[in-house]
Amino acid sequence: MQPTRCVYSVRRQQNMPLHDRIIPYLERAGLYHLARLNAHWFWLDEPLVSAFIERWRPETHTFHMPFGECTITLQDVAYQLGLPVDGQAASGCMTDFHIHIEGARSAWEWFEELFGELPPPDKRKLYTVHFTWFHDRFRVLPADASEETVRIYARAYIMMLLSTQLFMDKSANRVHLRWLPFVARLDDMGSYSWGAAALA
């Protein structure tokens, strides 16, 4: 991935407001610290990010620095990103969708049930939704939102956080439906080891 694409993806998530009413859902999911990094504390040093990307060697999973090799550890992920490292394995594999979708519904039917609507066809591609649709649709939480509406906005924020921060793909601008099984059960999200999955 090009360094600038990585940087722009992080910036896109930073432009999403962190509404007070979705914070309890982020806390229960174990993702609040990561969301706070985006909203308040995280400033990107683009030349530094670019330098690290150039020194990364995927075949050894290490950075080759002038002083030797170094890598990212699970402790680094837990400490710096505030992600839980204990719990169930979190997998974004599409092969187990059928386990979570009762009655063999399609992923898009499940999406519509969880979010109340479908993105327009030009914002969908295979099992992904363009980030701009999520950003435009879920940017402003209505002041009089019901608790179910707040849950929908929390799901949207978490889907964007997972797809554009922790588990970004090469497009750097798509939100993947692989996270539906997790956001469908918001109260269970805290039982997963997001730190271990992000490190992997």
Side-chain angles (χ1 to χ4, degrees):
M1 176 182 301
Q2 296 173 349
T4 53
R5 294 180 76 182
C6 171
V7 169
Y8 293 147
S9 176
V10 172
R11 283 199 177 137
R12 273 199 296 274
Q13 185 71 27
Q14 285 178 325
N15 289 331
M16 282 301 293
L18 185 56
H19 303 289
D20 289 340
R21 292 184 66 191
I22 70 170
I23 289 174
Y25 293 102
L26 293 169
E27 289 174 334
R28 285 196 297 265
L31 301 172
Y32 179 57
H33 185 78
L34 182 65
R36 289 271 302 166
L37 285 175
N38 292 332
H40 300 286
W41 302 322
F42 193 65
W43 298 100
L44 281 172
D45 184 336
E46 291 179 33
L48 180 63
V49 170
S50 296
F52 271 113
I53 290 172
E54 289 172 8
R55 293 185 175 277
W56 178 253
R57 297 297 178 265
E59 60 277 358
T60 59
H61 299 285
T62 57
F63 293 102
H64 287 244
M65 309 299 274
F67 52 81
E69 294 183 11
C70 62
T71 192
I72 301 166
T73 67
L74 190 57
Q75 182 180 9
D76 296 330
V77 173
Y79 182 74
Q80 294 176 17
L81 300 181
L83 295 172
V85 294
D86 295 321
Q88 301 177 64
S91 170
C93 183
M94 292 292 288
T95 58
D96 60 359
F97 253 40
H98 67 279
I99 295 171
H100 303 284
I101 303 178
E102 297 171 8
R105 291 175 295 161
S106 76
W108 289 110
E109 287 179 63
W110 199 19
F111 183 96
E112 186 173 18
E113 180 183 308
L114 292 174
F115 291 96
E117 63 185 281
L118 283 175
D122 65 325
K123 296 293 182 182
R124 289 184 262 164
K125 184 177 181 183
L126 296 177
Y127 287 108
T128 64
V129 179
H130 200 279
F131 178 86
T132 56
W133 181 81
F134 269 96
H135 186 271
D136 295 343
R137 174 62 186 85
F138 298 107
R139 183 170 173 74
V140 179
L141 178 68
D144 60 346
S146 67
E147 196 54 37
E148 182 52 36
T149 301
V150 173
R151 288 176 67 85
I152 290 170
Y153 275 70
R155 286 185 191 114
Y157 192 95
I158 289 170
M159 290 273 287
M160 289 185 289
L161 196 63
L162 294 175
S163 288
T164 64
Q165 297 293 117
L166 289 185
F167 309 106
M168 180 176 16
D169 64 11
K170 290 182 181 178
S171 73
N173 65 359
R174 298 210 162 261
V175 176
H176 207 288
L177 268 60
R178 69 173 54 111
W179 306 114
L180 286 179
F182 298 98
V183 298
R185 300 183 310 272
L186 281 174
D187 295 331
D188 296 338
M189 285 193 72
S191 66
Y192 290 94
S193 175
W194 295 109
L199 179 62

